[in-house]
Amino acid sequence: MVAMENTDSLQQAASVSVQDIGNLVQFDPRPIDSSEFKKDPDSFLKQACTIGTQLLINNIFQLPVEKIDDVIIAKLPAPSTTLPREKPIPKEKPLTKWEQYAKLKGIKNKKKQRKVWDETSKTWKPTWGYKRINDKTKDWLIEIKKNEDPNQDFFSKRTQERNERVSKNELQRLRNIARSSKKKVPGVGATPSVLSENPDKLKLKKALNIAKRADASMSKFSRKLENEDKVTKGLGKKRKFESNYGDIKNEKDKQLKLFEKLTSTKDRSSKEKLNIEKATNKFIQSENAEKSSGKKKLAKRSKMGGKNKKFSKKK
């Protein structure tokens, strides 16, 4: 509490101060006296904080209160000061394909009850999820149709169908996320990097090999067909590397063969010979054309000279 000597300053501060009890904030807009602040800054700031805190506590005690679990709580009003957000406003969640269709057709979702009374067990059971009502996957008896094979394991078939439904729903969920974020939705099966538009035998074999090795045991305990090839780590030609020590004889033969190819004219193709012949013929033709054009230039006479000669003869 504030001492008695500071009651005057407390009343002055109460008449001028601005309050925001919703945010538990007290503002004192009075200007600071520089002379008093310079004398003793610590005591000046301490007195200002004490007055502000006392005013805030006085205003809180004037608020309506309520008792919750033997604790008296004051009801704070709505805050009047707008504070900036720490993080940006979250974007609206994009609608799924079904939500877009329901919005277009005006379909409204009906709220289901979380629990329903089960007449067989005489208990309340959840409508969906774990231990739900009418859960056929837990039935100990399965009815077989006339056209079905009675020797088939229907329990394992039921669990397999359930797993397929779960994986299908998960795939649909991921597709909805990809579609809402405007990304390319991948197809089912082998990825486009493995299979192109026109897949060949090797690519199909590679995709099959990847699919077989995708289980937990890396195809060790998976079922195999009668004439099925063994699953390998990778398909394609294996690169062969020479030993680090090398073979001097093989290296010598390779270098000699390369030298013979570069120097000999016997191994050259007929195309190369034709090109050489054409080049030589072109060069000879161009030389002859230059010589003939030079002779023509020397033999050429002016038209006026000819006319004058004829005129002189007539004379």
Side-chain angles (χ1 to χ4, degrees), residues 43-89:
S43 62
F44 183 85
L45 291 170
K46 190 176 180 182
Q47 187 181 0
C49 291
T50 308
I51 291 164
T53 309
Q54 184 63 54
L55 286 170
L56 183 65
I57 291 164
N58 291 344
N59 291 322
I60 288 167
F61 272 96
Q62 290 174 7
L63 294 170
V65 294
E66 63 177 349
K67 197 173 183 181
I68 299 170
D69 296 333
D70 299 330
V71 179
I72 297 167
I73 296 167
K75 290 182 179 180
L76 295 175
S80 58
T81 309
T82 52
L83 298 171
R85 284 179 64 89
E86 184 188 353
K87 293 175 183 177
I89 299 165

Side-chain angles (χ1 to χ4, degrees), residues 159-273:
T159 53
Q160 187 180 354
E161 286 174 355
R162 182 182 173 279
N163 292 334
E164 284 175 2
R165 285 197 302 273
V166 169
S167 58
K168 186 183 175 184
N169 290 334
E170 181 63 19
L171 178 66
Q172 195 63 37
R173 187 182 70 83
L174 294 171
R175 277 184 173 179
N176 286 332
I177 292 164
R179 197 180 288 108
S180 61
S181 57
K182 294 180 180 179
K183 290 181 181 177
K184 194 175 180 183
V185 182
V188 182
T191 54
S193 61
V194 177
L195 293 175
S196 58
E197 292 179 0
N198 300 316
D200 56 358
K201 188 179 177 181
L202 183 67
K203 285 181 180 178
L204 286 167
K205 200 173 180 182
K206 192 176 180 182
L208 185 65
N209 195 19
I210 290 164
K212 282 177 183 176
R213 284 178 58 80
D215 58 354
S217 65
M218 302 287 283
S219 76
K220 192 176 181 181
F221 301 109
S222 56
R223 273 188 202 171
K224 291 176 184 176
L225 300 172
E226 290 180 3
N227 299 320
E228 188 179 359
D229 296 334
K230 191 179 178 181
V231 178
T232 54
K233 285 185 179 179
L235 294 171
K237 292 179 180 178
K238 289 186 178 180
R239 291 184 295 173
K240 291 180 180 179
F241 298 99
E242 292 182 1
S243 64
N244 294 328
Y245 299 104
D247 192 351
I248 297 165
K249 191 179 179 183
N250 290 338
E251 190 69 27
K252 185 182 175 183
D253 292 339
K254 281 180 185 178
Q255 296 296 333
L256 285 169
K257 281 179 183 177
L258 183 66
F259 181 71
E260 283 174 6
K261 277 185 181 179
L262 291 168
T263 53
S264 65
T265 54
K266 291 178 183 178
D267 295 336
R268 286 180 184 172
S269 60
S270 59
K271 253 187 184 178
E272 285 180 359
K273 285 180 183 177

